[in-house]
Amino acid sequence: MNENNQLRDVYDAIADPTRRRLIQLLAEAAELPLHELTAQFQMGRTAVSKHLTILKEAGLVLDRKVGRETRYRLNADPLREIQDWVAYYSKFWSTNMMRLNLLLEEEEE
């Protein structure tokens, strides 16, 4: 368990293309029931539900019962960890590309 009391690592959760697509669908809607999410995939309700469980364990998806239906919505807060990681390496590469550019300019002179 990590510092946010998540049961699953967020990187592990987004490693699968189906789960990334679920995140995208949930980002585009306020809330969706399982049957609407399942309609977007060529897999059964049980398989989609398992992917949603993994996203829930990573804290990326919240659910609530409405009658007999479970509705899901995105909790994007754990994605900040990934954004911070990418931002660090983006800065790293930008700095190194600037150094390379300066070096190439010096050699041309």
Side-chain angles (χ1 to χ4, degrees):
M1 194 178 298
N2 68 23
E3 64 190 28
N4 297 325
N5 293 328
Q6 297 165 338
L7 300 173
R8 186 177 293 268
D9 182 80
V10 69
Y11 293 94
D12 181 39
I14 66 161
D16 184 274
T18 300
R19 293 193 288 272
R20 289 194 302 269
R21 177 73 177 131
L22 283 166
I23 288 171
Q24 181 183 1
L25 290 167
L26 292 170
E28 295 169 355
E31 193 175 69
L32 289 171
L34 179 58
H35 70 89
E36 286 187 34
L37 289 166
T38 301
Q40 302 296 318
F41 298 95
Q42 292 188 349
M43 64 179 70
R45 191 179 166 112
T46 302
V48 172
S49 184
K50 285 181 182 177
H51 284 292
L52 286 166
T53 297
I54 290 169
L55 292 172
K56 262 181 66 176
E57 290 172 352
L60 290 164
V61 169
L62 303 172
D63 65 351
R64 70 181 182 107
K65 285 276 189 192
V66 178
R68 296 175 61 189
E69 187 175 79
T70 302
R71 294 184 182 174
Y72 297 89
R73 66 182 165 96
L74 178 65
N75 176 29
D77 288 347
L79 293 174
R80 190 163 303 152
E81 179 182 343
I82 294 169
Q83 182 182 18
D84 292 346
W85 186 82
V86 170
Y88 173 81
Y89 286 100
S90 176
K91 183 178 177 184
F92 169 82
W93 283 111
S94 293
T95 301
N96 285 317
M97 292 305 286
M98 284 180 14
R99 286 182 185 157
L100 177 61
N101 202 21
L102 287 173
L103 183 65
L104 292 172
E105 286 175 4
E106 288 174 6
E107 282 190 6
E108 285 180 10
E109 293 175 356

